[in-house]
């Protein structure tokens, strides 16, 4: 059995709307993801899937419980900061709404280049371009898209750009939050196929969130189902 | 006029006069020294006649004993304050005591009264004023408005609310004050002398000059003091009349003799006058409404001595004179001597636009002549460091007022540290001597000496241009006005307003 | 509820404290002699001792903290000191003029925003047509006209040539309680104030509205059969109301400080000129009072705006806008 | 004359900075009373534009380039905005794509419904309120009285979608455009909404144009199905025709792409490539570049409609007599269809 | 035969399908650019920069022999009542005014944007404090604050005036920026950037700035005008630049004086120059703002 990459232990995430009302978005959820494994997370709308993903990504501080990446408890502020670089490089997220997750004022090239630039991946400008072209080819887009803005792309193309960006740093864990929910069937099929190929090729661990069980069954090694903040089924 | 509703005899509507005024903070004759309102609300022991000579007012008569330096004033009987209280000798004593003894009072005029050693009131209608030193201008200074003792005794004269609700004995009574908007006075029907004919005067507060001109045009004002440029628009218009008053208000560059440059170059002061085309300055900055100046008493009808050196514009003469002093034109066109440039700064206060213009034009003319004068716009004067100042002074009445305190060594207004033994001598003599002929002689001499070694680089006398509606009759340009053309209302009792 | 009010009052008090401290220090850092405005030119003739004594009398000889604490102590007891220039209690001076300014300011403020909203709605309805384009161009040009100049021009036109309106003052003498008369005097100043602010706010509101009509709910409203006018009026305007109220809250000083020009040109007695003079001539007490008044106005209006916004849009209540963003992904 | 809507050769374009976007190209269809027509197609193929152009809700840069729209016998192509306003809501209303965004966030739900009622029927506030409540019952919102005066953000997506539906039904329209009413919702919610629509359609004898890109959803509700691709209708027929006897390769692709069709671990069938941009739609059949069965002519000439039966026709050269016979790829079997339907 | 060839199955991506594109759109895009405004502004700027070679008189000299002359061949724009050549002042003064306008704008934009972004991205508590501070500063009437600071700063120069004006007028911009940032900061692309480890300056520059630029464009552009106007108000108050430094602001106060004297050239010309310049800048700003694609209205 491969080593455990991500471990979520009794995570709770509550939002207090006002004094009398608290949303228990995630309530005592535990699961683990091994290296190279695809973990599917299903659940109806509002069951806390996105919140869980964001908590893992350290966008929210968990109300209780802990998230471990490798052996580090990344839900704790100091530990997260100590290993910030490693985590930021190795965990990437793909959002549900690709239009919202891509800055509308940046070209495809800039978008994909951004993580590379932040991490000084290459030393020369042409090298960056080279890498971007590589990534575009990987997700099946032509180089002619390089100078286009997200508005000018279709939903499927945008989602591919998101994927290319998340792959740029060759992460070990990708969290995809409903990456195909807003796409139509034929494009959805393309993207899922793409995910599968890439996952086989690069062997990254994959937390795949969707509300369509048939889709999850198709793609994942293990599936968790969430209901009102709880993890109710783990198969 | 804005209130045509009151009815009056045919052809005459003496109801209300709208007068354009600057803003007031207080109305108190000893705090506001050049303002219109205190003049008409209060009256003094003496007042000025048309020529600017003091004549009796609240005093019925007076005598002066030169040996004991004592004035004895007999007061008018039956004079009443506007609030109905009777006017007494006590009020006079109170006022003069305030001027000489008050600890809190900080008024610019207190120096004029420092020769008063005591004021006594043997009875209700007599005031005895004893001087420690002779002062020929004392009668002038006694034109100061008398304050009511019964309202002010024991109060802080600087901050008492009396200053906003003045009670005087003058021709007009204070009625109301709408802060920032207007002050209204009405005629004092109990006045002891000629009762004015205009019932009510509204002092409309319009500080902005252009706004004032426009309000005049729109008919919201009956009479207003305007600057020369704006006055042009009213000349020749049959709907308006223009009164061109002479004023004793002059502008000059006053070197500060405490700074090294002027200490070393006293001789330059006079010569620099040759480099200034004063006519051109008058024409441009004052719109031609003014005359070029040569001395501080130039507009004094009696004491002026026109036969002094004038330093009129003459660039050639300037060149000769300045080169005679050893100055040589440098490469930049500015004179130099011993490595020092002929260069000085002139300070102008920021809110005085016409002075700024004058300074700028003068600076340009100087530069053309080879003198570098830098214009500094400042907020606050600092006489310790400034090199020269674009000064404005006025000596409308007694020649002592406006000469002694400016030019006598160490006098209270002598900020420029001018010092000339001869000037001191003649000024002192003129001050002590009550005899007009002797005084005239002393002032003539003073003017000659001053012209030889001038304290100021004289530039110009201003005109006071009042624009009024034609139905206003009575303002007389006979009187020479003071600073900021104050004093038009000197004969307010003769003014009448026709129907609009 | 009590806690809510208490919190707001707390904010208010702290705010005023900091504001007064800031201005107090700033005013006293500025070089210049406050005595000059009290004693006039006479100060220049004072000897050093006299000068010192005079300073002592006005309480200017002590260290800054002591002065400030004394000022606060007096102010809390309702005594704001005397104005050096007017030599009367600063509050008296201010009160005499505050009414005029408030009247003019309020009317200007209300008309600026009423007109701005109307114009903005109009422009939104006719977006990109020639009417809209003309209004935009005109609005911009008028907005850029220098107010001094415009004011004098208006007097020239309406008072001098047409004799329709009085050229200055807040009211005809002695008719301070005649509202009609006051209004008549206010028309020209109002025109200057409105023109010099109108377009700025119109444009901001217009932009907000233009963004708003691009929302999808507008389409639904239209599909209901509503007319464009009533959609903008009943739906969009309501949704941009929070932005408008916050703009209104900050614009108070903006519009108030615009009164200075108007006061100068129209000889309108108000606190604009007063505040400038007090700063120029170091009339500390008056300055403090003016600043406190405007400060109080601003903070009160901004608290009010906040409350209104919370009523208009319950999403605002907890931590501003973020929750809505979260909810969208629901 | 029970054709409630007739589109004749309708073409709609947009003026944009880049040029003309031909969003709807030469579309003809009819809708009968009480019929549910599903419009299926990929994102951006012009489904929404088609509906909006009938309701004249298109932005100002859109224009009807060609063709006519006839609603209940009236040609409304040239109708003025005022006349359209009376038709909207009563003759046809619309449920928009995104229930989260199409409700005004600051106005209580109840008021938004009442607005519609008051606009089209002369009734008092009280009656309007009563009717609005009834509508909320109708669409199956629980506890409508309590929720009547709540703003939309207190509602979940499904509840909001119900409210939008209530608004659309408020003025008793003859025809309803439902623009992907379920896309943004999860599966359970989706099922609920579709059942609801079906119920209401039966109850009120509505004609519905139902838009979706999900054939599974369509199968549950539609009487007739029209498949759109790149602004054109490529195949139209009854639900049976489309699901059991599809003729257009694009329809095949769509049907095969469903995940439930493929065993786990396999590869999803997909249609390679991307739909073309409508900015400069290609010459010939727009689907050609993605079509494994494309013929040379597909790249040059637009295929005409071939009638297969009275109800069924498709636009592909494969139906031409000259075309080689193509064996239709293996599609959903009866039982798989059950699993989605 | 040919027909049958057409019906040969060639499969997907046999060749690219294209349709000839007409080239007219390029023209149209060019046409939408504010060419005219650019041209006029360019001329104005060039004139101001090269003031020395354009002026035919010294801007601060008094030509006492030519008082109040209407435009003529010697004085192209006439002279004022002190004999100053308006033509020279326009160019020379434009330099000062535009300098003050632009650098004031730059300063206030920098402060406002940075402060607003910082506050917008900060946690609620800090954000609240920062906004209250800005509110406090903005509750002091602008002119008053400028006056106080200028008198502390000492003798005014164009630079110090620009700095003081810019340094005291950024508050409302900061507020707008902050509320924009508050909206943007919850968007997912910011979250993505953050989770990728982007630094604050990077987020500010690449993600925040371009996205609220259009929202603040008008405020920024109109701040140029308010800086110029403020300078002129300061001149009017006598607290402006030293007299030998002429600016459009001081020209405006000249035109106030000339209103009653029928010297239309003194009244009109400076005003026209200011308004035209600002209009050009606004047009260009508007274009920059509009260049970002906006959806069309739903109305
Ligand atoms: N920042 C927040 N503040 C308050 N409540 C929140 C916040 N984020 C999420 N919630 C609440 O938490 C619950 C779970 O939301 P979440 O977005 O995780 O659901 P989800 O499973 O991702 O749903 P979907 O399938 O629609 O994406 C919801 O009820 C939501 O209202
Ligand atoms: N306002 C507009 N301006 C320009 N082009 C537009 C506009 N609205 C839509 N389009 C174009 O029209 C085409 C059809 O859009 P439409 O919204 O009808 O697609 P759709 O089939 O509804 O897709 P989806 O499933 O994503 O809703 C798209 O290519 C789109 O780019
Ligand atoms: Mg989610
Ligand atoms: Mg759509």
């Amino acid at each position: 059995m491969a080593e455990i990459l991500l471990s979520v232990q009794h995570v709770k995430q509550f939002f207090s709307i006002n004094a009398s009302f608290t949303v228990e978005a995630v309530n005592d959820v535990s699961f683990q993801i091994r290296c190279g494994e695809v973990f599917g997370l299903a659940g109806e709308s509002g069951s806390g899937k996105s919140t869980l993903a964001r908590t893992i990504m350290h966008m929210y501080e968990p109300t209780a419980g802990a998230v471990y990446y490798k052996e580090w408890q990344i839900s704790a502020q100091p530990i997260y900061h100590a290993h910030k670089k490693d985590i930021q490089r190795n965990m990437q997220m793909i959002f549900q709404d690709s239009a919202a997750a891509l800055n509308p004022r940046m070209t495809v090239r800039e978008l994909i280049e951004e993580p590379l630039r932040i991490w000084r991946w290459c030393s020369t400008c042409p090298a960056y371009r080279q890498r971007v072209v590589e990534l575009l080819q990987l997700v099946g887009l032509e180089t002619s898209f390089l100078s286009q803005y997200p508005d000018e792309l279709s939903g499927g193309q945008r989602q591919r750009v998101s994927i290319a960006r998340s792959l740029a740093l060759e992460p070990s864990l990708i969290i995809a939050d409903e990456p195909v929910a807003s796409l139509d069937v034929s494009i959805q099929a393309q993207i899922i196929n793409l995910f599968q190929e890439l996952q086989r090729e690069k062997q990254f661990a994959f937390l795949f969130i969707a509300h369509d069980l048939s889709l999850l069954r198709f793609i994942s090694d293990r599936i968790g189902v969430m209901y009102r903040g709880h993890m109710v089924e783990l198969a | 006029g804005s209130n045509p509703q009151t009815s009056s005899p045919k052809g005459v509507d003496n109801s209300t006069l709208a007068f354009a005024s600057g803003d007031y903070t207080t109305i108190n004759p000893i705090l506001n020294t050049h303002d219109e309102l205190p003049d008409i609300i209060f009256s003094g022991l003496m007042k000025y006649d048309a020529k600017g000579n003091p004549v009796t007012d609240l005093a019925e008569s007076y005598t002066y004993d030169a040996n004991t330096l004592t004035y004895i004033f007999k007061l008018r009987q039956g004079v009443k304050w506007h609030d109905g209280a009777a006017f007494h000798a006590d009020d006079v004593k109170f006022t003069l005591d305030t001027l000489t003894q008050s600890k809190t009072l900080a008024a610019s005029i207190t120096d004029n009264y420092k020769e008063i050693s005591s004021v006594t009131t043997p009875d209700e209608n007599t005031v005895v004023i004893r001087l420690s030193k002779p002062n020929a201008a004392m009668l002038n200074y006694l034109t100061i408005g008398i304050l009511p003792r019964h309202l002010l005794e024991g109060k802080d004269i600087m901050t008492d609310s009396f200053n906003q609700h003045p009670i005087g004995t003058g021709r007009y009574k204070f009625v109301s004050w709408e802060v920032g908007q207007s002050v209204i006075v009405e005629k004092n029907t109990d006045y002891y002398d000629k009762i004015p004919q205009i019932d009510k005067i509204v002092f409309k507060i319009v500080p902005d000059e252009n706004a004032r001109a426009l309000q005049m045009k729109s008919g919201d004002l009956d009479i207003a003091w305007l600057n020369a440029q704006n006055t042009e628009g009213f000349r020749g218009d049959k709907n308006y009349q223009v009164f061109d008053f002479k004023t004793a208000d002059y502008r000059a560059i006053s070197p500060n003799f405490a700074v090294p440059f002027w200490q070393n170059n006293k001789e330059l002061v006079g010569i620099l006058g040759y480099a200034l085309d004063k006519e051109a300055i008058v024409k441009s900055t004052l719109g031609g409404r003014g005359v070029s100046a040569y001395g501080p008493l130039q507009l004094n009808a009696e004491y002026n001595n026109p036969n002094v050196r004038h330093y009129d514009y003459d660039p050639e003469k300037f060149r000769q004179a300045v080169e005679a002093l050893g100055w040589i034109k440098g490469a930049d066109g500015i004179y130099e001597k011993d490595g020092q440039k002929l260069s000085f700064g002139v300070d102008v206060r920021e809110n005085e636009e016409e002075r700024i213009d004058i300074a700028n034009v003068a600076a340009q003319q100087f530069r053309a002549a080879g003198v570098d004068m830098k214009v500094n716009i400042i907020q606050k004067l600092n006489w310790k460091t400034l090199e020269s100042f674009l000064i404005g002074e006025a000596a409308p009445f007694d020649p002592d007022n406006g000469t002694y305190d400016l030019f006598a060594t160490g006098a209270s207004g002598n900020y420029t540290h001018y010092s000339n033994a001869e000037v001191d001598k003649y000024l002192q003599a003129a001050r002590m001597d009550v005899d007009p002929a002797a005084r005239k002689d002393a002032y003539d001499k003073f003017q000659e000496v001053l012209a030889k070694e001038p304290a100021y680089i004289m530039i110009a006398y201003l005109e006071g241009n009042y624009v009024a509606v034609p139905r206003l009759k009575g303002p007389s340009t006979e009187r020479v006005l003071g600073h900021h053309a104050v004093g038009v209302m000197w004969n307010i009792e003769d003014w009448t307003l026709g129907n609009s | 509820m009590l806690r809510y009010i208490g919190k707001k009052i707390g904010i208010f008090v702290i705010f005023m404290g900091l504001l007064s401290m800031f201005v107090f220090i700033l005013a006293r850092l500025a070089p210049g002699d406050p005595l000059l405005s009290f004693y006039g030119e006479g100060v220049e003739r004072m000897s050093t001792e006299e000068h010192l004594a005079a300073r002592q009398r006005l309480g200017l000889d002590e260290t800054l903290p002591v002065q400030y604490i004394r000022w606060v102590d007096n102010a809390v007891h309702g005594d704001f000191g005397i104005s050096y220039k007017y030599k009367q209690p600063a509050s008296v001076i201010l009160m005499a003029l505050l009414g005029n300014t408030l009247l003019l300011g309020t009317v200007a403020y209300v008309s600026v925003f009423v007109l701005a909203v109307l114009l903005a709605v109009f422009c939104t309805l006719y977006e990109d047509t020639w009417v809209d384009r003309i209004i935009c161009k005109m609005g911009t040009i008028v907005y850029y006209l220098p107010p001094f100049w415009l004011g004098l021009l208006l007097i020239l036109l309406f008072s001098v040539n047409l004799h329709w309106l009085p050229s200055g003052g807040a009211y005809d003498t002695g008719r301070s309680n005649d509202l009609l008369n006051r209004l008549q005097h206010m028309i020209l100043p109002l025109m200057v104030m409105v023109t010099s602010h109108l377009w700025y706010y119109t444009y901001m509101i217009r932009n907000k509205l233009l963004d708003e009509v691009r929302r999808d709910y507008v389409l639904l409203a239209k599909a209901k059969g509503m007319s464009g006018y009533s959609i903008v009026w009943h739906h969009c305007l309501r949704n941009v109301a929070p932005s408008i109220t916050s703009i209104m809250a900050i614009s108070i000083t903006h519009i108030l400080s615009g009164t200075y020009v108007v006061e100068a040109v129209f000889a309108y007695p108000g606190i604009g000129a007063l505040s400038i003079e007090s700063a120029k001539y170091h009339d500390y007490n008056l300055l403090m009072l003016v600043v406190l008044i405007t400060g109080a106005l601003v903070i009160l209006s901004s608290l009010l705006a906040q409350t209104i916004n919370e009523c208009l849009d319950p999403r605002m209540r907890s931590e501003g806008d973020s929750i809505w963003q979260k909810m969208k992904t629901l | 004359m029970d054709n409630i809507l007739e589109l004749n050769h309708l073409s709609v374009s947009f003026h944009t900075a880049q040029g003309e976007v031909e969003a709807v190209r030469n579309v003809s269809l009819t809708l009968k009373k009480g019929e549910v027509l599903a419009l299926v197609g990929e994102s951006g193929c012009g489904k929404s534009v088609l509906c909006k152009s009938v309701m004249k809700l298109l932005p100002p840069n859109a224009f009807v380039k060609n063709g006519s729209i006839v609603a209940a016998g009236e040609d409304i192509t040239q109708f003025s905005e005022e006349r359209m306003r009376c038709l909207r809501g009563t003759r046809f209303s619309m449920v928009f794509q995104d229930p989260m965004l199409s409700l005004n966030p600051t106005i209580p739900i109840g008021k938004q419904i009442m607005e519609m009622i008051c606009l089209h029927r002369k009734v008092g506030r009280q009656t309007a309120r009563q009717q609005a409540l009834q509508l909320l019952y109708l669409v199956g919102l629980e506890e409508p009285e309590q929720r009547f005066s709540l703003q939309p953000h207190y509602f979940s997506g499904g509840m909001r979608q119900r409210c939008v539906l209530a608004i659309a039904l408020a003025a008793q329209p003859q025809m309803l455009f439902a623009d992907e009413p379920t896309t943004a919702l999860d599966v359970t919610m989706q099922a609920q909404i579709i059942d609801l629509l079906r119920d209401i359609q039966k109850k009120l004898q509505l004609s519905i144009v139902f838009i979706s890109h999900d054939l599974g959803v369509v199968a549950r509700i539609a009487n007739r199905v029209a498949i759109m691709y790149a602004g054109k209708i490529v195949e139209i027929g009854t639900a049976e025709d489309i699901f059991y006897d599809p003729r257009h390769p694009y329809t095949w692709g769509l049907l095969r792409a469903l995940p439930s069709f493929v065993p786990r671990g396999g590869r999803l069938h997909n249609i390679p490539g991307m739909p073309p941009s409508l900015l400069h739609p290609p010459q010939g059949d727009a689907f050609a570049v993605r079509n494994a069965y494309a013929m040379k002519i597909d790249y040059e000439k637009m295929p005409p409609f071939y009638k297969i039966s009275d109800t069924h026709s498709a636009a592909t050269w494969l139906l031409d007599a000259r075309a080689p016979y193509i064996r239709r790829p293996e599609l959903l079997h009866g039982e798989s269809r059950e699993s989605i339907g | 035969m040919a027909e049958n060839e057409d019906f040969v199955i060639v499969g997907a991506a046999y060749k690219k399908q294209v349709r000839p594109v007409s080239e007219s759109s390029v023209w149209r895009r060019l046409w939408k650019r504010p060419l005219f405004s650019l041209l006029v502004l360019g001329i104005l700027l060039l004139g101001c920069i090269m003031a020395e070679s354009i002026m035919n008189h010294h801007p601060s000299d008094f030509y006492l022999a030519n008082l109040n002359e209407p435009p003529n061949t010697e004085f192209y724009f006439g002279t004022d009542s002190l004999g100053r050549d308006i033509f020279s002042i326009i160019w020379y003064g434009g330099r000062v005014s535009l300098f003050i306008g632009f650098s004031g704008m730059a300063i206030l934009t920098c402060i406002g944007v940075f402060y607003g972004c910082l506050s917008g991205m900060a946690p609620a508590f800090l954000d609240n404090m920062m906004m209250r501070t800005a509110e406090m500063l903005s509750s002091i009437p602008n002119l008053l604050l400028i006056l106080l600071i200028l008198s502390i700063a000492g003798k005014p120069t164009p630079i110090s005036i620009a700095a003081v004006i810019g340094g005291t007028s950024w508050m409302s911009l900061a507020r707008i920026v902050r509320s924009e940032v508050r909206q943007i900061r919850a968007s997912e692309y910011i979250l993505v950037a953050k989770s990728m480890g982007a630094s604050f300056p990077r987020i500010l520059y690449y993600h925040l700035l371009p996205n609220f630029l259009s929202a603040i464009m008008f405020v920024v552009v109109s701040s140029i005008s308010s800086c110029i106007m403020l300078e002129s108000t300061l001149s009017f108050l006598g607290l402006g630049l030293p007299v030998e430094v002429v600016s459009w602001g001081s020209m405006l106060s000249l035109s106030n004086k000339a209103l009653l004297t029928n010297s239309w050239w003194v009244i009109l010309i400076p005003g026209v120059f200011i308004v035209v310049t600002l209009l050009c800048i606004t047009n260009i700003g508007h274009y920059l703002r509009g260049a970002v694609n906006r959806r069309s209205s739903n109305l």
Side-chain angles (χ1 to χ4, degrees), chain B residues 28-29 38 41 63 72 81 98 107 199 233 288 294 311 347 363-364 380 387 422 437 439-440 450 454 456 480:
Chain B
N28 182 329
I41 293 176
T63 55
I72 300 170
W81 291 102
T98 305
D199 298 332
Y294 53 82
Y311 302 106
D347 289 12
Q364 186 191 334
K380 185 182 175 291
E387 289 189 303
E422 269 187 289
R439 278 190 94 195
K440 168 119 184 72
L450 186 70
Y456 298 162
V480 173

Side-chain angles (χ1 to χ4, degrees), chain E residues 158-211:
Chain E
I159 296 176
S160 77
I161 287 204
V164 172
I165 292 178
T168 52
S169 326
W170 50 267
M171 284 79 79
S172 59
L173 182 68
R175 243 181 113 123
I176 295 170
V177 168
R178 178 225 167 233
S179 72
E180 291 293 324
V181 168
R182 283 254 130 188
Q183 272 168 35
I184 300 171
R185 82 165 192 172
S187 46
E188 289 173 347
Y189 57 85
I190 303 283
L191 292 179
V192 173
K194 268 192 186 164
S195 73
M196 283 187 311
S199 57
F200 178 69
R202 191 184 172 88
I203 290 181
L204 195 157
Y205 185 74
Y206 284 102
H207 298 281
L208 296 177
L209 198 61
N211 283 297

Side-chain angles (χ1 to χ4, degrees), chain C residues 216-217 219-220 222-228 234-236 238-239 312-315 324 327-328 330, chain D residues 52 55 57 81 85 88-89 96 101-107 112 115-116 119-120 151 153-154 167:
Chain C
D216 286 349
Y217 71 81
L219 219 49
L220 179 69
K222 210 174 164 192
K224 285 182 192 172
M226 290 174 79
S227 65
H234 295 296
H235 283 236
C236 301
R238 197 190 154 105
N239 290 7
L312 277 179
D313 191 348
R315 290 173 308 181
W324 175 240
M327 293 295 202
K328 249 173 31 181
L330 244 169
Chain D
K52 285 182 193 167
M55 293 198 58
L57 286 177
E81 179 64 26
R85 217 182 287 147
R88 286 184 201 135
F96 287 94
L101 300 178
S102 56
L103 287 170
N104 188 332
T106 57
I107 298 182
Q112 297 195 40
E115 214 171 40
M116 178 77 152
L119 214 59
H120 292 287
Q151 273 97 349
H153 78 273
Y154 292 105
I167 292 177

Side-chain angles (χ1 to χ4, degrees), chain B residues 160-182:
Chain B
D160 194 71
S161 66
F162 174 83
N163 295 338
Q164 285 78 41
H165 303 90
I167 300 287
T169 51
R171 294 160 284 183
Y172 277 87
K173 285 199 268 199
F174 172 84
V175 177
S176 67
W177 184 343
E178 286 158 345
V179 179
Q181 162 116 356
S182 61

Side-chain angles (χ1 to χ4, degrees), chain B residues 236-289:
Chain B
D237 185 337
K238 65 174 185 337
N239 295 321
Y240 296 96
Q241 49 177 338
V242 177
F243 297 98
D244 294 318
F245 282 89
K246 287 216 167 60
T247 75
D249 198 9
Y250 64 87
R251 298 286 174 267
I253 296 168
S254 60
N256 179 6
F257 292 100
V259 300
F261 179 83
W262 295 111
Q263 269 170 0
N264 302 335
N265 298 298
K266 277 202 180 83
E267 329 75 55
L268 275 177
V269 180
I271 297 171
L272 282 169
Y274 289 128
L276 283 187
D277 185 352
K278 292 150 200 153
E279 297 294 337
I281 294 180
V282 169
K283 220 176 116 214
S284 58
T285 62
L286 305 178
R289 298 289 154 187

